[in-house]
Amino acid sequence: MTASTRKVLVYSRLSPAGIKIAVKPGLSKTQVKKNHIVCKVICAGLNPVDAKYLVGDKLPQFVDDIVGRRSVEGLGVGFDFSGVVLAVPKGEEDGDYKLGDFVYGTTGIGTASVADECVVPLHQVCHMPHSLTFAEASCLPLVGLTALQAFRPYFDDKKKSSRCNEEKNVLIIGGSGGVGHVAMQVIKCLGDSSSSSPVKSLSVICGPTGYDMVNEYGNPDHIIDYVNDDVMKKLEEIVKCNDGPFHFCFDTVTSRNVADDEYKSKILS
């Protein structure tokens, strides 16, 4: 490897694993695109969407697997990353990001976070909290943004609309998953930080292996073990305990996408 090249993980339909390491030209440190920064990747996070791009299932359903795989051929793998700023646009040396800053965020589609270096739009990157390690920070962007985008209109509405003025009983399905374990923490922070949108009761559904983690990270009022508990009976008991129905249900598990069902059947067959 030389300073003028970098390693990038890309999709490759002819490779046994469907991916391969490619050597590409290095990113320019002297001609950085406006409103972007160049970063050295310390850690990269992977999400289900990265596997789904592998089979091309984000394309219309009339597109077959062969066309789908060809459409992602050569594109970089991964969105989430954490790292160190290597270069900023000329004239922006005194901006928000300086050489050596620790950052985390998401790369653009197909540009790859699983790489030696990446170029990132400024609106998709942020300074890394001192309390996080590089590994922890690299796992947060997509799942954190998913939770924020789901909850903010109902729990952190700056316009203080009527839908945010009530105490809410909340149910999260899949609390031990990537999005779920972050969602439990996000929703409590939003509730506690806004006097007009508190979370009255938080209930979480998870499996037995994730029970302790859910209890530690989310400290919910109720936990349902979908393997060992009668889920419907437990939900009825919680509704009675809450003296009212659930106002908000965040399902991080179920998908109505036919392609997801087909992919699941392939894995289980």
Side-chain angles (χ1 to χ4, degrees), residues 40-98:
K40 176 183 178 181
V41 177
I42 302 298
C43 291
L46 293 175
N47 296 278
V49 67
D50 301 310
K52 291 176 180 179
Y53 267 118
L54 185 64
V55 296
D57 77 346
K58 292 304 174 188
L59 295 169
Q61 292 180 14
F62 62 81
V63 179
D64 61 26
D65 281 350
I66 295 177
V67 176
R69 285 180 179 273
R70 285 181 180 274
S71 70
V72 299
E73 181 73 16
L75 294 182
V77 178
F79 293 91
D80 291 354
F81 85 99
S82 62
V84 181
V85 177
L86 292 179
V88 300
K90 189 175 181 180
E92 297 184 19
E93 293 83 359
D94 295 325
D96 291 336
Y97 298 97
K98 298 176 176 57

Side-chain angles (χ1 to χ4, degrees), residues 171-176 203-207 222-226 231 235:
L171 173 66
I172 296 178
I173 303 174
S176 60
S203 302
V204 176
I205 298 178
C206 66
H222 308 279
I223 304 177
I224 299 175
D225 176 347
Y226 67 81
V231 175
L235 288 173

Side-chain angles (χ1 to χ4, degrees), residues 154-156 163-170 187-202 247:
Y154 301 92
F155 293 87
D156 193 32
R163 66 183 177 186
C164 289
N165 293 332
E166 304 174 350
E167 290 187 330
K168 296 180 178 63
N169 298 320
V170 178
I187 198 168
K188 286 208 166 186
C189 289
L190 291 176
D192 291 341
S193 64
S194 174
S195 60
S196 64
S197 60
V199 175
K200 180 180 179 182
S201 171
L202 175 61
H247 303 97

Side-chain angles (χ1 to χ4, degrees), residues 26-47:
L27 298 171
S28 173
K29 311 300 187 299
T30 58
Q31 295 181 335
V32 182
K33 189 176 179 181
K34 187 177 180 181
N35 296 323
H36 289 68
I37 55 176
V38 175
C39 299
K40 176 183 178 181
V41 177
I42 302 298
C43 291
L46 293 175
N47 296 278

